[in-house]
């Protein structure tokens, strides 16, 4: 009887220790979640500067607002990464237009020389002229963008790079982005509310060609 019980007791002890370790690790690492980061919109044919902004290259890249033209969209690069070792399934991308106004009449437009370009990744087209704004897999895969669709999986060791390709039409548009996800049967979301170029108002910003604007000297 002792020879039969000892392996059984050992197996029970092993599973108990393993269960305790999994519980402890879950408590330490915390619940699953998604980290989303977007520094700013990039790209566009030109960058818009308000009348009071300096026109040196550093200011143009840091403070300039992407301007689209000739059907070429601007981009919002977004990096997604799981907070824990548990895989996160991204199930939705929602773009909410905060404001849509005519482009400004003053200011200047500069070429984005030496400014960061959009990184390659999963590309989605966003039509900001429509409310709600549809987010659809990019039809044009040129430039090295990946063919993609929802849902897709993100892990801590395998983050994902998204590119939202923005088409504002002829408007000056501010918008926010909500990423929806599911992990272990639980729903969650994270909202990106804008970059550091205008902290007084919510939303990322992109526009069509402003009226009566001119290129700064040296650009």
């Amino acid at each position: 009887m002792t020879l039969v019980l000892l392996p059984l007791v050992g197996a029970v002890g092993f599973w108990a220790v393993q269960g305790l370790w999994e519980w402890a690790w879950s408590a330490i690492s915390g619940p699953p979640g998604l980290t989303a980061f977007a520094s700013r919109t990039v790209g566009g044919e030109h960058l818009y500067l308000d009348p009071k902004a300096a026109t040196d290259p550093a200011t143009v890249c840091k403070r300039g607002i992407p301007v689209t033209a000739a059907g070429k969209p601007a981009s919002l690069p977004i990096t997604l990464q799981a907070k824990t070792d548990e895989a996160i399934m991204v199930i939705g991308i929602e773009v909410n237009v905060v404001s849509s106004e005519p482009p400004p009449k003053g200011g200047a437009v500069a070429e984005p020389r030496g400014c960061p370009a959009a990184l390659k990744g999963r590309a989605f087209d966003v039509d900001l002229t429509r409310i709600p704004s549809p987010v659809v897999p990019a039809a044009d895969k040129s430039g090295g963008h990946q063919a993609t669709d929802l849902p897709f999986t993100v892990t801590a060791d395998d983050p994902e790079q998204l590119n939202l390709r923005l088409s504002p039409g002829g408007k000056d548009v501010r918008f926010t982005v909500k990423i929806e996800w599911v992990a272990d049967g639980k729903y969650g979301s994270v909202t990106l509310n804008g970059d550091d170029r205008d902290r007084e108002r919510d939303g990322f910003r992109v526009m069509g060609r402003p009226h009566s604007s001119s290129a700064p000297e040296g650009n």
Side-chain angles (χ1 to χ4, degrees):
M1 180 65 70
T2 301
L3 294 177
V4 174
L5 287 177
L6 283 177
L8 179 60
V9 171
V12 172
F14 170 78
W15 289 113
V17 170
Q18 185 180 40
L20 180 62
W21 168 250
E22 290 177 352
W23 174 86
W25 176 250
S26 176
I28 294 171
S29 61
L34 185 71
T35 297
F37 175 78
S39 60
R40 60 186 56 200
T41 45
V42 298
E45 287 287 288
H46 297 87
L47 296 174
Y48 168 78
L49 295 166
D50 66 47
K52 298 180 182 180
T55 58
D56 60 279
T59 299
V60 169
C61 291
K62 184 176 181 180
R63 305 298 299 175
I65 307 302
V67 175
T68 62
K72 295 182 180 180
S75 294
L76 177 62
I78 300 175
T79 302
L80 304 178
Q81 187 173 23
K83 291 182 178 179
T84 67
D85 289 340
E86 186 168 350
I88 304 292
M89 180 170 289
V90 177
I91 60 172
I93 303 171
E94 180 181 312
V95 172
N96 175 47
V97 173
V98 177
S99 65
S100 181
E101 304 170 350
K105 294 183 179 181
V109 171
E111 294 182 7
R113 296 176 181 173
C115 299
L119 301 176
K120 298 176 182 179
R122 297 175 179 268
F124 292 87
D125 288 333
V126 184
D127 184 355
L128 295 172
T129 66
R130 298 169 59 187
I131 299 177
S133 299
V135 180
V136 299
D140 179 11
K141 300 302 187 297
S142 62
H145 294 298
Q146 300 176 20
T148 189
D149 202 352
L150 295 167
F152 58 85
T153 301
V154 177
T155 66
D157 295 330
D158 187 20
E160 285 287 352
Q161 178 73 38
L162 306 183
N163 273 307
L164 301 188
R165 308 199 312 178
L166 312 165
S167 297
K171 297 291 187 177
D172 179 358
V173 180
R174 293 177 183 270
F175 63 96
T176 60
V177 180
K178 182 169 75 171
I179 309 294
E180 299 177 293
W181 54 268
V182 171
D184 195 24
K186 297 180 180 179
Y187 168 85
S189 67
V190 57
T191 298
L192 300 170
N193 198 36
D195 57 35
D196 60 357
R197 283 180 280 201
D198 188 353
R199 295 187 181 278
E200 295 181 358
R201 298 182 63 181
D202 288 341
F204 298 96
R205 188 180 178 189
V206 64
M207 68 176 70
R209 181 80 182 189
H211 301 295
S212 303
S213 57
S214 60
E217 294 182 6
N219 290 280

